[in-house]
Amino acid sequence: METVPPAVDLVLGASACCLACVFTNPLEVVKTRLQLQGELQKRGTYPRLYRGFVASVVAVVRADGLCGLQKGLAAGLLYQGLMNGVRFYCYSLACQAGLSQQPGGTVVAGAVAGALGAFVGSPAYLSLLGALETIWRQQGLAGLWRGVGGAVPRVMVGSAAQLATFASAKAWVQERQWLPEDSWLVALAGGMISSIAVVAVMTPFDVVSTRLYNQPADGAGRGKLYGGLTDCLVKIWRQEGPLALYKGLGPVYLRLGPHTILSMLFWDELRKLAGRGQHQGS
């Protein structure tokens, strides 16, 4: 993998993930609708407006039009830019310091970088820019980070799985010599393997994060349904059953899978271009 300065990784990581977001945002809309459906209700006791991926897409289009599939795109781009810019910058710093060469170092670096990125990007994940002023006035500065308790663990485990498995999967594919070493198909294959690991560990935290961010809040900015990550996990488990933590698994993979694949592919290719540019400049 080409070596580039952390500041360059910040720009490349943010750009790659924003580009991937444009393609995968409709899947995020469908995933969110499925995860909020039947909130804190036992299975079979509520009407299911969204049934499976295709039917859910049709339902969204009927209710909100085609533009409804790109709801929240502006906030999504802001979140992806902030969160992943910080995430890839911190990960690059850790690699530069040699942490990735230590046993388990890639996992630790990915987790810490993900936690910092999630914290910085949390206000953008919470709301569109137009609503930030309202949240600030009604709930204060802390209101902009409502739900961060679910976002940080979500991105921590996802980032650790993504960066660690992508690096090892890419190296594994290169060792097998199935593809030309410098081919973009190597990064594509690594991203596909990484996407499975990301979805497996991230989905329960994704459900919890969606619930925490979308719950109604009181005047002090405290959630009315959940007291935090643990409370949300316990309530979902008790009232909806353990399988509810994997609600919308199909759309979750269709959202996180392609996003992981495209993000890592774009990031890897952009790093190659940046690295070649540095070599030519020197």
Side-chain angles (χ1 to χ4, degrees):
M1 186 177 289
E2 293 286 347
T3 301
V4 298
V8 175
D9 253 334
L10 184 154
V11 175
L12 298 183
S15 301
C17 293
C18 283
L19 185 56
C21 179
V22 174
F23 292 102
T24 60
N25 189 67
L27 303 172
E28 174 72 15
V29 172
V30 172
K31 172 188 74 70
T32 301
R33 301 281 178 97
L34 280 166
Q35 289 179 340
L36 291 175
Q37 182 172 247
E39 187 170 14
L40 296 184
Q41 299 177 59
K42 289 185 178 180
R43 191 178 182 88
T45 63
Y46 57 87
R48 293 181 63 189
L49 301 178
Y50 306 101
R51 295 174 177 269
F53 175 68
V54 176
S56 297
V57 170
V58 173
V60 171
V61 172
R62 283 179 177 172
D64 304 322
L66 281 173
C67 291
L69 291 172
Q70 285 291 10
K71 270 190 174 179
L73 178 60
L77 291 173
L78 179 61
Y79 173 71
Q80 291 294 333
L82 286 173
M83 189 270 284
N84 286 295
V86 171
R87 186 167 73 98
F88 281 104
Y89 176 77
C90 294
Y91 181 72
S92 185
L93 281 177
C95 290
Q96 196 177 67
L99 181 59
S100 61
Q101 304 301 317
Q102 305 300 319
T106 304
V107 175
V108 174
V112 173
L116 292 171
F119 183 82
V120 172
S122 185
Y125 190 77
L126 175 64
S127 179
L128 286 166
L129 279 174
L132 293 181
E133 184 180 357
T134 302
I135 295 172
W136 177 284
R137 288 178 176 176
Q138 294 180 354
Q139 302 173 20
L141 181 63
L144 297 177
W145 272 268
R146 178 166 58 87
V148 72
V152 169
R154 171 184 178 271
V155 180
M156 275 185 70
V157 298
S159 180
Q162 182 192 65
L163 293 170
T165 57
F166 176 74
S168 57
K170 187 181 170 187
W172 181 76
V173 171
Q174 287 174 327
E175 287 173 3
R176 295 299 178 276
Q177 297 182 340
W178 292 330
L179 301 165
E181 187 174 347
D182 291 332
S183 172
W184 61 271
L185 291 172
V186 174
L188 178 66
M192 291 174 70
I193 296 171
S194 176
S195 69
I196 297 172
V198 169
V199 173
V201 302
M202 202 170 177
T203 298
F205 294 96
D206 193 64
V207 172
V208 169
S209 183
T210 298
R211 296 289 182 87
L212 291 175
Y213 274 113
N214 285 277
Q215 69 175 323
D218 59 22
R222 293 185 295 267
K224 292 182 178 181
L225 298 178
Y226 312 106
L229 173 70
T230 304
D231 183 53
C232 186
L233 279 169
V234 171
K235 284 182 176 177
I236 291 174
W237 184 285
R238 288 179 176 174
Q239 299 184 37
E240 301 177 51
L243 290 180
L245 292 172
Y246 280 88
K247 255 187 180 179
L249 179 61
V252 167
Y253 181 78
L254 289 173
R255 157 66 176 84
L256 293 179
H259 191 274
T260 295
I261 295 168
L262 291 174
S263 295
M264 301 312 290
L265 173 61
F266 293 153
W267 177 61
D268 194 71
E269 290 300 304
L270 288 171
R271 290 180 105 247
K272 286 180 184 177
L273 292 174
R276 288 167 189 162
Q278 283 183 327
H279 294 325
Q280 290 175 358
S282 58

